[in-house]
Amino acid sequence: MIENNFNRRDFLKVLGWGGAAVTLSGCGFTSVQDGTETVVSYVEPTEYALPGIGVYFNSTCAQCDAGCSITGRVREGRALKLEGNAASSINRGKMCGLGQAGVQAHYNPDRLREPMFKGQPVAWDKALGLIDEKVKTLKGDDVAFLTGGMSGHVKVLFKNYMDALGSKNHYVYEAVSPSVVRAANKKAYGVEAPRLRLDKAKAVVSFGADFLGAWVSPVHFSQQYAQFRKGNRPEGRGVLVQIEPKMTLTGANADRWIPLRPGTDGVLALGIIHALAKNGLSVPADVAAAVKDYAPERVSQETGVSVEQIGKLAALLKTHTPSLVLAGDAAEGYQHGSQNAAAIALLNRVLGNVGKTIEAPANVPFPQIAAQGGNRAALQALNGKLASGKVQMLFVHGANPVYTAPLSLKFKENLNKATFKVVFAHYMDETALQADLVLPLDSALEDWATAVPEYLPEGAQLNVQQPLMEKLHAGTRGTGDILLALLKQRRANEYGKFDDFYAYLRNAVVSIKGALGGGGKDEDTFWAETLSEGLVKLPGSGGNLSSKASAAGLHFPAVVEDAAYPLRLIPSVTANMRDGRNANQPWLQESPDPLTTIVWDSWVEIHPKTAAKLGIVEGDIVEVASKSGSIKAQAYLFPGIHPDAVSVPLGYGHEAMGRYAKGVGANAFAMLDAVSDQETGELAMNETRVKIGKTGQRIIVIKEEGVAGGKQAGKKIAARLASDKVDLSKEV
Amino acid sequence: MSVSNLLENWSKVRHTHPVGDVPHEEYKWAMAIDLDACTGCNACSVACYAENNIAVVGKEKYAHGQAMHWMRIERYWDEDEREFPDQGAQFLPMMCQQCEAAPCETVCPVGATNHTADGLNSQVYNRCVGSRYCSANCPFKVRYFNWWDYPDQENAWPDEMKQQLNPDVTVRTKGVMEKCTFCVQRLTAAKNMARNEGRLVKDGEVQTACQQACPTNAISFGNLVDAESRVHKQWKQQQVELAEDAQAKDEYFTDLRGYRILEDLRAYPSVMYLERVRESAI
Amino acid sequence: MSQHHILALYNNFEEAETAIAELRAADIKGFNFDDLTLKSPIEHHEVEEVLGNRPANVQWFTLGGALMGGLLGFFLISGAQANFYSQLKGGKPIVPLPPNFVLTYEMFILGGVFITVLGFLVCAGLPAKRSPLYSAKVSEDQVGILVKADAAAAPTLKGIFAKHQAIEIQEEAGK
Amino acid sequence: MGKDIREDISWAKINEDVLRSLESPRRLYWVILLVAMLAFSVGIGCEVYQYNVGMGVANLDNPHVWGLYIATFIFWIGMSHSGTLLSAILHLMHADWRKPIYRFAEAMTTFSLMTAGLFVMVHLGRLWQFYYSLPYPNERALWPNFQSPLLWDAMAIFTYLSSSVIFLFIGMIPDLAICRDHLHPGWRKKLYTLLALGWEGTDRQWRNFRITYLTVACFLIPLAVSVHSIVASDFAMSQQPGWHVTSFPPYFVAGALYSGCAAIVTLFIILRYVFKFEEYMTLPILKKTVRLTFAIAMVWTYLNAVEFAAVWYSHDQAAKDVLIQKATGPYAPFWWMMIFCGSVVPLTLAFKRFQTNIPVLFAVSLLLNLGMWLERWMIVAPTFSHGYYPWTWDHNQWPSLIQWGMVFGSFGWFALLFMVFCKVFPSVSMYEVKEMVYHRRLASESQAAAKGAH
């Protein structure tokens, strides 16, 4: 890595002059004759922009909240490609496809370029002045903030601004988040995000946690998974069992994928405990008493998992210790989601996994920069407050609630009850369209920030997000800079000394260098090294973890059928689309969904048996209708789904945002019933019941899969061996 | 092009290169992909788009089968007609196999696709006239033709996105064939650097974009000639010989899992796959 | 001695044939039998016997052309390929023989055909200017006999032509 | 049944009749010419569009990279073989009935080769760089790849086309001399004077002419066989299932002769009417041609069966799958249509009463050619849709209107060239018809003399 002991501002100024000029040259099909670029002399090359040589800068990926560290390749002042930063304990030099597409968020042609006030461009001074005027007229309680999950110094500034306004209405919202499991973890272990050690587990049983695809920190878990699968590790090759009604990417990689009746995860977990106890595993008396009614026959009947399979699961877990049982999206998305998660935590306790494969996370020494994970309950709370007209002014950052809120919440109408809505946005998305004032943000490759990931696999880590290149558009600003400007309006004496957010950030980080492990270094060296590394590893460990999971109060309602809406809708979170915030990145739209291989559209996964019953064939446009709404999408016959369920991916069906996202597919968020988990109040994602009807239209499904439909026609193409037929111990 | 040259070097020009009597000397780039580690997440494919200036073709052209993904992830199901695929799916990253006796090379009328000394199947865009014979003769169908002028297509690379294009990689015009190159631009840079230092490229010094991205390290890539390289060790351990159309180990029962796809066609692919393993106990 | 051209036209080939036979038998001073040219609308195989052994050498051109084409083909292609170190084809030698034989074969034929035609033009003396005495009738249905002889022999020749029912006899003083 | 050419027809009348064809054809001629020009302009329009926008407009895809262009290319190459059959093979076999009709067959050879060449061009993704495939000396010492069957194709077609043009021209010299001698002065007379090269019909010219004609004919036969074998090699030398078939070269040659003969029947009927050649293109000649067509149809049918059987009894599962796919998959209607047109329809030709029935023959010959065109398509397309690699199987590819337009246009281009040729040059060989009637008369006289002697 290049030694970064230089003044970064100067570097960027140089790039601004040179970088922008050469950005267009050298990409094959533009030529000097076009006259579209200015020729730059390299007679005096700068140290940092070596013509023809890529230089690398470390930063942090902002495509999701996992907080992977990245290394951006920059040539002639242009960020070209993102690669993983090997120093990070999260991704260890690796990346997912979503992260790779980060450059397309940066170079996106549909990015907002200037502030907009009621649809008209305004100057930044005017825009910030409008906010200043407005907040002066309001009480603190009239102002609310809706943000995505946040951490680091941007979070600090947000909190400070809220303080300055006297507002306590901070709603941290993530449409897709493991919020019920988070609460269950808190209850069972005292921490929200314990370290999960797949690499140490001999068996992993996952109740719908798509940790390879879109759950929490997929790149990190994928690496652990690779360790877990190694035949030559001391524990031997690990066994993965995935239990979920709709096959996720993780399910597709499992040794055994078990489709269970939607929502019966907790019942099955208790049934396994029951079987384990039968098999001779010593189970605490209170637990044994709690599970005594969960005999395999009953469990089998309720869950649809065969008695034999339950027995096999129990046998596997008994012999493969330590193991790890995970609760994921498929388990938590019910009215009794917390109960499911608690039962699974109980299973971990019974198996003695706590402290072995479930460890305490590192403490973040500075709680003000620690991650604050978003949840779905926040939206419902805000929605209620908006509906009652108590919010006069709303700031939205890092969220697109108009798109992600179920229609049944009537969020859009309620939002318009607020008189002044300020939206920080990269695109003119659905929420920005409702805003009075839209503030265009720098891309993640142009902006400064720090981040502490919510899920910390090893020690705590402060990630630095720094610009890889000069701003593409003069009219955008960084979140930090906007917040600083807003804070200067309120607390000029405190923040006036900082020219910009960079100055603030440098000061803030350098001032705690002792705590960050840089005590012996002078400020400039420490700062340069921090930027060069792209992260700071924080000292301190998490200590021990013990389980407080108890069997008390576990109760699972009987599954209630609804004849009018016979099927369960499972909105799926795909690795490409997640909650739809990255839908305008064409690489992600064109990257086939791993399981269905469909591109550029939504689809409805139906089990072939169900489809046959309804007379549906692949490509039929079907209407999926819930009590709260309906969508139309192409049917895809998918064997990896429970016959009682259908699945529609989230993240499609944008009505705005940009050329690659708009009008592609249908929005499954919209049709969700507003049913919540009884304990946490989280929107229960899987509680929506639907019916399916043919519309009579039929199209050819646009997918990577050909007519052979995943068959190998007797050829040895993707081959497979049973584990007892192979010797992995000598493998390289 | 002189006859004397022909006659003087007669024995030299009659060597069958490279799978015959002239082995690779310095480099032979090869891959090993562990299907047990591959999760089918598509990161490699997207990384390939980013590195190699691959055009996004859009919905309509994708529907016409004109997608350009050099690296595609194939998803297979078991074929025993069970109600549920309860042993999961099979994922297979498929890209140009850089065959040693590549069927595509011999048929190109203009010699636009050739074998390089380091064992790559090169594609010379400037030379290609677009007869598409190479693709017709490719058993794996991993060659992608520029049916349109993608640089000029409306939403392939809007002006802003053009700035992301990798200057080390040509943007292909309409009418030429393209395919996975094993990130030849990276290999060239690494080889040049090593040559300047008077040595060969060391293992791990150069990575392909897909290998670099792969979250599970399923892809290993390196110099098969280099006995220290991971890929060499993997091939050796799995007893897969580059220039064989049927592996000796396959004739009797072994507990190894290395294989190459459509090996009996004698194309001698440079990519070895390791079979996926499924737990028999559960 | 000035040379005269005489063209006699006959209605059918038999008459012309007997006239030629007589011309050949008669030893006319100032007339060389080799200076006799038969002009006919179609080819007559019998002409060989009547006219005696007149050579046709096209086949030698054919042989030469075909061999030249074949050799040129093989060495041009192989010689070009011998520089193909950067255009290797995997699994094949730099100079592969089977494809080169295919092309050699084509070049063999190409050379053969081209040089044969060249040979034809050379041997048949084409393209040529129209000879001094020509009647369009010979491209229709009449047979012409063109002789070149000393002026002194002309009357004798004309006599013989007339004897065999020549339809028309043209004479022209040569230069 | 019509009469054969009269033995006592006067040679002057032969000249007169044939030369009349250069002057005043029936009105249908102009209709055909107009339709041909329209069709050709459709083809031109499609190519201009494709050239500018990209090959994508043909609606080809990965991996289905070849389509109608290659199929039609083989079709036109096949058409070219009948000319050689009639002019060279039958010449060596002294089948004198070929004489009135070989000239137009030879012209057909030339023009269908020219049409075939166009399809190679329009098929290229970068037409503007087509010269890369030519072996021309250049400063970079870059040569085309001599190992590619496509290059052999280029070489073979070049050889064949140039040899055919030469053969056509050489064989026409005596007739050009007739035209020169008997036409009114004008640009055409100048043209014929130039082209006749001063031919006078001297014994020396005839002697060398005969040897040359015979030699070139001898060369043309193996050349014609090699050309279509090489076209077959485009497929047989590849590795793809359904293509990698040892019997492809003879199969292709038989198919070529077949479609060529069928086309001769079609054009025979058209020319006979348009240029009023009833007296020369007689029904007995047609009957012989039809019988020849029937024989070749049966050879083709046999070779077809051999190919299927070879695939069926081999252990090449992929090739078998392609065959099953052809018979049952999305291409099945066309495949069965090909079998019907290629093997069932020609059975009508076995009946004497149809062998001279012009309307029936016209319809049958068109159906045979349709069958042969389908055959080529069925060779090219199904292998792409169902190759070795199941993941890339693609049964939905359908050629776009651009492809169809160019196929359509090629018929216009061919008809245009052919019809203009027939109007400008004598499409019946006058001197050979004279030879024919001369030798027939000699034969019948000697027969009569022999009878008299008894």
Side-chain angles (χ1 to χ4, degrees), chain D residues 176-235:
Chain D
L176 289 169
I178 296 174
C179 295
R180 174 197 66 198
D181 292 348
H182 297 278
L183 277 182
H184 305 294
W187 67 270
R188 289 225 257 180
K189 191 164 178 107
K190 282 186 192 140
L191 175 72
Y192 299 134
T193 309
L194 187 72
L195 290 179
L197 301 174
W199 177 270
E200 288 184 0
T202 68
D203 56 309
R204 178 184 169 200
Q205 286 168 347
W206 277 120
R207 198 164 51 242
N208 288 297
F209 176 83
R210 191 184 73 230
I211 295 174
T212 306
Y213 197 73
L214 196 69
T215 314
V216 177
C218 287
F219 272 125
L220 267 186
I221 296 163
L223 177 58
V225 172
S226 81
V227 168
H228 224 61
S229 309
I230 287 174
V231 172
S233 301
D234 287 349
F235 301 94

Side-chain angles (χ1 to χ4, degrees), chain C residues 3 28 33 46 54 68 73 111 120 123 135 139 168:
Chain C
Q3 295 264 299
I28 300 163
F33 185 70
E46 306 87 330
R54 292 192 176 179
M68 195 183 78
F120 165 64
C123 293
S135 165
S139 66
E168 192 185 336

Side-chain angles (χ1 to χ4, degrees), chain B residues 1 64-66 74-75 92 94 103 106-109 126-133 136-137 145 147 174 265, chain D residues 51-52 54-56 59-63 65-66 123 125-126 129 132 143 145 148 234 238-240 389 391:
Chain B
M1 201 217 87
H64 281 98
Q66 294 164 341
E74 297 166 3
R75 188 270 293 116
L92 181 84
M94 174 49 74
T106 45
V107 296
C108 174
N126 279 342
R127 182 71 176 166
C128 179
V129 295
S131 78
R132 314 194 280 290
Y133 202 169
N137 207 20
F145 187 71
W147 298 105
K174 75 176 170 191
L265 295 178
Chain D
Y51 186 101
N52 284 317
M55 287 304 295
N59 200 14
L60 295 163
D61 62 40
N62 304 317
V65 291
W66 288 0
H123 168 82
R126 296 209 296 168
Q129 306 287 28
Y132 283 174
W143 295 91
N145 175 19
S148 168
D234 287 349
S238 83
Q239 232 180 2
Q240 298 301 305
Y389 205 76
W391 185 259

Side-chain angles (χ1 to χ4, degrees), chain C:
Chain C
M1 184 91 38
S2 74
Q3 295 264 299
H4 275 218
H5 293 272
I6 300 165
L7 176 72
L9 294 175
Y10 289 88
N11 220 351
N12 61 48
F13 183 69
E14 289 78 10
E15 288 163 1
E17 195 178 353
T18 49
I20 295 169
E22 185 167 342
L23 284 174
R24 191 176 182 184
D27 185 16
I28 300 163
K29 193 167 179 285
F31 166 65
N32 185 348
F33 185 70
D34 288 344
D35 289 338
L36 181 144
T37 308
L38 180 76
K39 297 185 181 183
S40 56
I42 63 168
E43 196 206 354
H44 292 287
H45 295 289
E46 306 87 330
V47 92
E48 297 274 327
E49 298 158 27
V50 192
L51 292 178
N53 207 9
R54 292 192 176 179
N57 295 321
V58 179
Q59 60 271 35
W60 298 110
F61 282 88
T62 307
L63 180 67
L67 288 179
M68 195 183 78
L71 286 172
L72 187 75
F74 184 81
F75 283 102
L76 187 98
I77 290 161
S78 304
Q81 283 170 332
N83 292 341
F84 277 8
Y85 289 101
S86 57
Q87 279 172 274
L88 284 177
K89 305 291 155 195
K92 302 278 187 290
I94 290 166
V95 177
L97 295 180
N100 292 8
F101 289 153
V102 173
L103 291 167
T104 301
Y105 180 82
E106 296 298 328
M107 287 292 280
F108 175 85
I109 291 177
L110 188 68
V113 170
F114 273 50
I115 303 300
T116 301
V117 171
L118 183 70
F120 165 64
L121 296 178
V122 170
C123 293
L126 294 175
K129 279 201 166 160
R130 210 83 59 77
S131 59
L133 282 176
Y134 178 74
S135 165
K137 280 285 179 189
V138 297
S139 66
E140 190 172 308
D141 55 359
Q142 294 180 359
V143 179
I145 299 173
L146 178 69
V147 293
K148 190 174 77 177
D150 290 346
T156 328
L157 290 167
K158 279 198 267 187
I160 293 172
F161 286 146
K163 195 171 110 193
H164 294 281
Q165 285 106 36
I167 303 170
E168 192 185 336
I169 297 174
Q170 300 175 10
E171 187 180 353
E172 193 194 66
K175 283 136 235 158

Side-chain angles (χ1 to χ4, degrees), chain B residues 28-31 52 70 95-98 119-121 179-187 206-210 221-222 270-271:
Chain B
K28 162 63 204 168
W29 303 113
M31 235 180 219
N52 290 305
W70 288 2
M95 71 326 256
C96 174
Q97 303 285 296
Q98 312 285 351
L120 295 181
N121 171 245
K179 62 163 195 84
C180 165
T181 62
F182 269 3
C183 288
V184 67
Q185 65 281 4
R186 296 182 174 205
L187 304 183
V206 59
Q207 289 185 308
T208 60
C210 52
F221 171 83
S270 302
V271 181

